[in-house]
Amino acid sequence: MPENLEFSGNWYVDIGILGFVKLMKEVYCWDLEKLKEMISRDHEKVYYGYFPFAYFYKWCSDRNENVDKEIVSSLVKNLEESGLQNKTEELFNYVWFKYICKLFTNLWVENKLKILHKKDAYDKKDKVKKQFNYTNSQKYLQLICEREKFIYELQKNHLEDIKKILENEKLKMVGYDEIKYLLNIDLDNNSYPTIPNKVKELIAKLKETHSDIENFLKEEWKKIIQTEKIDEKDSHFYRLPIDSAFYKNFLFFNNFAGNLEQKQSFYYMLSSNFDKEEILDRIDKTINKFLPSESEFINISYTKLSTTIFKNQYEYIFVYLICFTYGIENYKNLGYVVFYSNDLAFTYSVNKKLKLYKEKIKVSTHTNKIFKVTWQQIIDFLVEYKSTWSLENMYIISYQSLDNQFQKGVRYIGIHKLQASLLLDDKIREALNTRIKCKNASDEGDRCWLLEEFIQGKPLYPIILNHINLTLTSDENFNWTSCLYGLLVDAYIANFRGKNKTIFSDNFFDNYKALVKEIKEEVRITTFFSSLISNISDEIDTRKRVARELYTALCGKDKKMFLNILLKNLNENTKLSSNINFQKWILEKIIANDTSFEMHCLILVMSLLRG
Amino acid sequence: MNEENAYYWQKVVNDKKINLDLKKLKEAVFNGFKGESDNYKQRLVYNLLETIRNNDQKEFFYVLLKSINKPNKDYMNLLEQLNNNYDVMPEEAFINFAYTIIIGIMATYGGEKNE
């Protein structure tokens, strides 16, 4: 059955899926559609062939290893041509030896070169350690021994000269880093006139013996790539030098596993073979540091949470689980951040766009910049697609650091279903998608983006109140539609919250459609009724004076004073005072409304200024 | 009317809960004052607004009761409403109560009705 690449609803699995998609994009430049196509064509080739290589390729490139990019195109070409259909183990073995092992050539050789002294290869009982014990270990140790002589000589008799070359007066021991430095300098020219020739000769011999070991190791490594075989006895010697703090419990990252065990363990993981690898059958801290350990799972009293449940849904569940860390992006000033919703395409698209802004964010010292950028991406996406249910389930997950035991600075920021539902309406969204001038705005340029505040669940009333103040004190215009929508949305949310004490009301399941309809109807009614107040006077100056007086009362949250000023001014205008519609509106929206009267009062002030 | 969003005055008389209905109150005021002259009503509204401004409930009822203390059957309904609702109220409820009465009076001004 081909794998259906969609989100599950479990965020730690889903972020793994996102990581998998991002990984394949990074290594093979496949976008989501292409990846889905590849999976539906031959999923075994993707999961047993392309994926293992991509995983280790990324592991190496993340650690700034010099990885040969041509190896990727060679793999793609050979896998496309290979006839290894339906032979998962053979396919995996082929990729493991021919490509993954090849990828690790430099890293493995370097790791072996680090053994400077023969005695380091022996344990306390004078036996050769597992990782150095293999068919040809005598030759390897002999070569180490030859190089060691020169290191010893330099260390014992010429340390002062070495200090001069390395320009390090505090040097006590000649270690691997020092040797690497010595190997790279050119002693033939006259740049070191004070260094005696004997030392130069010793260094030249050191170079020679060092490259002997290097060549020897490269040859040995090449052999296993060519033959695609390793003797069981030699497995530890050929161990891939890999490690991971996050996935320490997976056997292939374990220091005690040799190359063959690493290969086998990775294969068991890909095929979710729980019989062979018991650890895979547990969903807990073992596989993801965000989860509690099995004993801490307090809500599971009767049975342990098994991966088997997930396997029914995803054949390659572990592929996703080990890609978890690749789903999250590291932003320099902010730590690790991921945007998550219940829809793969949506999540992938937003995260992809976010990554493009990575450079921009890097420069900024403003820690909330990421959220600003994220909202922008979400809105862009909304205009392009219409993914109702994904919008209702969006989160931003961020953390500072993770290690084997602890998570630091983890934050989950959700977007309320109510806000999300309102955003889906074109009119409301467009009206709120404005930056209005506002004193002390957090944004640069003293502008405040209404939509962002709204998504974050903050009230819009204080911002608009501030904005109207600027209009009153200077001759600046204000955006009527944005302010009106902002205030009415705020008023409705306030009323709504006051009324519905339970979360799962009928409206919740109806996606608040009724609320959206009500708000739009309210906009229509309010525009008409509130505009009647402009009949209070034909003089713009009088209207402005009244507006200013009303605004002052509003700033003090004084409903009594506001109505007093309003009615006193109305009292002189018998025609407007007796307007039944206007009367009704004032009674209903201001006098008999103690939850959201402020918003309607401000709309009246705006109407006066609008004229 | 969104009745759940307002502070309503509720009192218990002989185990019976009596709620303040602003809409009914406004109607009673409207029917009571519709026969009076605009000048008189404007002055009255001004005086009532002053008493609210000073948060003087006693004075408010004094001015109001004085103005309806007439042998006019138009005021019967309003008197009944006041009889039921008159009490010392918390400020929030009083503001709603008092401004409803004022709005009711203002609605009777002889200007053109835009119904």
Side-chain angles (χ1 to χ4, degrees):
Chain A
M1 185 195 77
E3 189 88 349
N4 188 15
L5 202 63
E6 289 300 342
F7 273 180
S8 65
N10 276 306
W11 73 273
Y12 51 90
V13 177
D14 294 350
I15 289 180
I17 295 179
L18 176 71
F20 171 68
V21 176
K22 279 171 78 178
L23 173 72
M24 299 308 255
K25 165 83 181 163
E26 193 178 324
V27 180
Y28 302 110
C29 296
W30 297 344
D31 59 13
L32 188 59
E33 288 311 306
K34 168 87 175 163
L35 179 62
K36 280 184 176 176
E37 187 200 316
M38 292 295 284
I39 291 170
S40 65
R41 209 164 58 190
D42 191 346
H43 59 100
E44 284 170 348
K45 205 176 252 179
V46 173
Y47 288 99
Y48 288 97
Y50 287 112
F51 167 72
F53 174 77
Y55 189 78
F56 288 111
Y57 183 87
K58 172 119 174 94
W59 192 92
C60 285
S61 50
D62 278 354
R63 282 151 188 84
N64 296 324
E65 296 301 330
N66 295 323
V67 280
D68 186 2
K69 290 208 167 100
E70 275 179 25
I71 198 170
V72 180
S73 46
S74 147
L75 172 98
V76 173
K77 196 171 160 245
N78 284 341
L79 274 188
E80 284 305 304
E81 289 167 2
S82 81
L84 290 165
Q85 270 89 9
N86 305 324
K87 291 174 188 164
T88 53
E89 192 150 12
E90 276 177 48
L91 175 70
F92 177 69
N93 280 351
Y94 170 74
V95 173
W96 181 270
F97 284 114
K98 287 282 181 217
Y99 292 96
I100 297 173
C101 286
K102 198 174 174 188
L103 195 64
F104 279 93
T105 309
N106 291 335
L107 200 63
W108 181 81
V109 169
E110 169 118 12
N111 216 35
K112 293 285 179 220
L113 279 171
K114 279 180 187 168
I115 295 293
L116 300 180
H117 306 287
K118 194 182 168 186
K119 67 173 180 359
D120 293 341
Y122 289 86
D123 61 13
K124 282 175 191 168
K125 290 176 186 168
D126 223 17
K127 269 182 148 183
V128 182
K129 282 181 190 166
K130 249 186 182 179
Q131 60 267 42
F132 302 108
N133 192 3
Y134 87 114
T135 322
N136 247 346
S137 55
Q138 284 313 316
K139 189 167 181 202
Y140 167 60
L141 293 175
Q142 195 191 333
L143 287 168
I144 296 273
C145 219
E146 277 170 27
R147 184 182 60 177
E148 190 184 358
K149 271 191 276 176
F150 301 113
I151 300 172
Y152 185 70
E153 180 74 22
L154 285 169
Q155 162 89 40
K156 198 180 173 194
N157 302 326
H158 307 285
L159 193 62
E160 287 308 312
D161 294 321
I162 301 293
K163 278 181 186 174
K164 272 182 211 162
I165 298 172
L166 298 174
E167 293 166 6
N168 181 359
E169 281 305 309
K170 288 175 187 168
L171 186 75
K172 282 181 184 164
M173 284 278 288
V174 180
Y176 182 70
D177 289 339
E178 286 76 33
I179 289 173
K180 248 182 120 180
Y181 186 86
L182 289 175
L183 295 174
N184 287 328
I185 57 168
D186 187 8
L187 287 170
D188 290 339
N189 63 21
N190 293 325
S191 43
Y192 299 98
T194 53
I195 305 296
N197 281 341
K198 204 186 169 196
V199 176
K200 286 183 181 174
E201 275 168 31
L202 274 172
I203 293 174
K205 280 179 181 164
L206 179 70
K207 265 186 194 177
E208 206 177 299
T209 48
H210 185 86
S211 67
D212 282 348
I213 306 172
E214 197 172 345
N215 292 336
F216 168 76
L217 288 170
K218 275 187 179 165
E219 281 303 312
E220 294 291 272
W221 192 249
K222 220 174 174 181
K223 261 188 235 167
I224 64 151
I225 296 172
Q226 273 166 358
T227 55
E228 293 179 30
K229 238 195 250 168
I230 296 174
D231 273 356
E232 226 166 276
K233 189 174 154 293
D234 303 344
S235 176
H236 276 91
F237 181 70
Y238 292 112
R239 180 185 184 275
L240 297 184
I242 50 173
D243 194 9
S244 163
F246 201 82
Y247 298 112
K248 199 86 184 161
N249 291 315
F250 285 93
L251 196 60
F252 45 88
F253 282 122
N254 200 307
N255 280 334
F256 298 103
N259 189 308
L260 293 176
E261 288 83 15
Q262 286 180 311
K263 178 172 76 72
Q264 203 58 45
S265 154
F266 203 89
Y267 181 74
Y268 287 149
M269 186 205 69
L270 290 175
S271 53
S272 310
N273 194 335
F274 303 137
D275 300 335
K276 297 282 181 187
E277 206 130 321
E278 241 177 76
I279 203 159
L280 298 180
D281 200 18
R282 274 191 273 163
I283 292 274
D284 70 345
K285 210 171 185 170
T286 318
I287 54 147
N288 192 320
K289 298 286 166 261
F290 278 107
L291 298 174
S293 67
E294 206 173 54
S295 55
E296 288 165 352
F297 256 126
I298 45 166
N299 55 342
I300 299 170
S301 330
Y302 303 109
T303 178
K304 285 169 182 170
L305 189 57
S306 162
T307 326
T308 323
I309 311 158
F310 291 100
K311 212 203 154 189
N312 296 335
Q313 194 180 359
Y314 295 111
E315 202 177 333
Y316 303 103
I317 176 72
F318 282 97
V319 167
Y320 310 137
L321 290 175
I322 64 161
C323 283
F324 180 85
T325 44
Y326 292 161
I328 301 167
E329 201 67 41
N330 187 5
Y331 294 90
K332 210 177 173 188
N333 295 334
L334 309 156
Y336 297 83
V337 177
V338 66
F339 166 81
Y340 171 62
S341 92
N342 273 3
D343 184 80
L344 173 59
F346 182 34
T347 308
Y348 175 65
S349 167
V350 172
N351 279 294
K352 200 167 79 176
K353 283 186 180 173
L354 263 180
K355 213 178 158 187
L356 295 176
Y357 280 81
K358 201 171 167 177
E359 291 304 313
K360 248 190 200 177
I361 296 162
K362 254 185 202 171
V363 191
S364 169
T365 49
H366 206 285
T367 45
N368 274 331
K369 187 99 181 169
I370 181 78
F371 301 110
K372 212 165 284 275
V373 174
T374 316
W375 304 138
Q376 185 65 59
Q377 302 318 312
I378 293 165
I379 302 311
D380 286 355
F381 188 87
L382 258 177
V383 179
E384 273 176 58
Y385 304 84
K386 277 242 168 196
S387 181
T388 321
W389 73 292
S390 57
L391 187 68
E392 291 159 3
N393 299 285
M394 299 190 291
Y395 303 92
I396 289 175
I397 300 157
S398 71
Y399 63 89
Q400 289 304 310
S401 66
L402 281 182
D403 68 13
N404 219 0
Q405 300 297 330
F406 301 104
Q407 304 119 26
K408 205 175 139 196
V410 182
R411 285 209 292 175
Y412 299 83
I413 298 165
I415 297 160
H416 298 285
K417 189 181 160 85
L418 175 64
Q419 265 84 350
S421 308
L422 293 179
L423 272 184
L424 278 175
D425 187 81
D426 290 342
K427 271 222 151 158
I428 298 178
R429 190 186 59 247
E430 272 167 34
L432 297 185
N433 195 6
T434 330
R435 287 166 204 273
I436 59 169
K437 266 207 167 179
C438 177
K439 251 188 199 170
N440 305 324
S442 54
D443 204 345
E444 297 105 26
D446 279 352
R447 278 186 186 272
C448 197
W449 188 22
L450 285 180
L451 201 55
E452 190 199 7
E453 304 290 321
F454 177 69
I455 296 173
Q456 292 184 21
K458 294 181 189 166
L460 301 179
Y461 171 74
I463 301 162
I464 300 173
L465 188 74
N466 196 321
H467 176 61
I468 298 298
N469 183 32
L470 288 178
T471 315
L472 277 168
T473 48
S474 62
D475 276 339
E476 271 194 63
N477 287 329
F478 66 96
N479 187 334
W480 165 261
T481 318
S482 298
C483 293
L484 181 68
Y485 268 94
L487 290 171
L488 287 178
V489 162
D490 236 23
Y492 261 81
I493 290 179
N495 292 348
F496 191 74
R497 291 223 172 108
K499 242 187 275 177
N500 296 283
K501 301 290 181 207
T502 52
I503 298 170
F504 299 111
S505 59
D506 288 347
N507 241 321
F508 181 86
F509 297 106
D510 190 33
N511 286 328
Y512 302 99
K513 273 183 194 143
L515 189 67
V516 173
K517 217 176 141 194
E518 275 175 39
I519 291 175
K520 284 162 96 173
E521 178 65 12
E522 183 70 26
V523 167
R524 199 180 61 78
I525 295 171
T526 307
T527 309
F528 172 64
F529 289 154
S530 66
S531 69
L532 292 170
I533 200 172
S534 57
N535 294 327
I536 206 164
S537 169
D538 295 335
E539 298 286 317
I540 177 79
D541 288 342
T542 314
R543 289 205 299 267
K544 265 202 163 182
R545 175 187 57 80
V546 178
R548 220 167 278 136
E549 282 176 26
L550 291 176
Y551 182 85
T552 315
L554 202 51
C555 283
K557 294 184 177 179
D558 195 342
K559 182 177 168 180
K560 186 180 82 181
M561 275 314 289
F562 183 90
L563 281 168
N564 220 291
I565 296 164
L566 177 71
L567 296 179
K568 250 182 206 166
N569 282 292
L570 273 180
N571 200 20
E572 289 154 25
N573 188 332
T574 52
K575 195 176 162 190
L576 181 59
S577 300
S578 58
N579 186 313
I580 296 293
N581 287 327
F582 189 58
Q583 286 267 339
K584 214 171 136 191
W585 191 79
I586 300 251
L587 180 65
E588 195 175 314
K589 300 295 175 193
I590 300 177
I591 298 176
N593 176 3
D594 284 319
T595 320
S596 56
F597 71 92
E598 287 159 308
M599 292 83 178
H600 293 95
C601 290
L602 191 55
I603 291 173
L604 274 185
V605 176
M606 279 159 44
S607 297
L608 276 170
L609 291 172
R610 198 183 176 208
Chain B
M1 194 183 292
N2 198 356
E3 290 173 0
E4 289 172 51
N5 297 329
Y7 291 104
Y8 279 90
W9 181 237
Q10 187 188 68
K11 61 177 185 174
V12 181
V13 180
N14 297 335
D15 293 338
K16 196 181 158 199
K17 281 182 187 170
I18 298 169
N19 284 318
L20 175 59
D21 185 336
L22 295 181
K23 217 174 173 179
K24 258 191 192 168
L25 180 69
K26 193 195 153 200
E27 267 170 36
V29 176
F30 183 85
N31 291 327
F33 283 91
K34 63 185 174 191
E36 305 289 348
S37 78
D38 275 5
N39 261 345
Y40 165 74
K41 283 184 290 197
Q42 273 174 309
R43 218 171 35 244
L44 176 66
V45 164
Y46 185 81
N47 288 338
L48 289 174
L49 282 172
E50 276 304 299
T51 60
I52 304 174
R53 192 191 168 98
N54 301 329
N55 205 14
D56 193 342
Q57 292 194 32
K58 208 170 114 187
E59 184 68 13
F60 178 85
F61 283 112
Y62 174 73
V63 175
L64 182 67
L65 291 174
K66 207 166 76 173
S67 69
I68 58 172
N69 183 21
K70 291 168 189 167
N72 187 340
K73 62 176 182 188
D74 287 348
Y75 291 116
M76 290 309 287
N77 195 5
L78 176 60
L79 279 167
E80 198 184 317
Q81 285 280 326
L82 291 176
N83 185 34
N84 286 338
N85 297 309
Y86 173 64
D87 211 326
V88 178
M89 300 176 179
E91 197 181 339
E92 289 92 343
F94 173 69
I95 290 169
N96 293 347
F97 175 82
Y99 282 123
T100 306
I101 289 175
I102 291 174
I103 282 268
I105 301 172
M106 287 169 84
T108 61
Y109 288 169
E112 197 183 321
K113 305 279 188 296
N114 299 324
E115 283 194 74

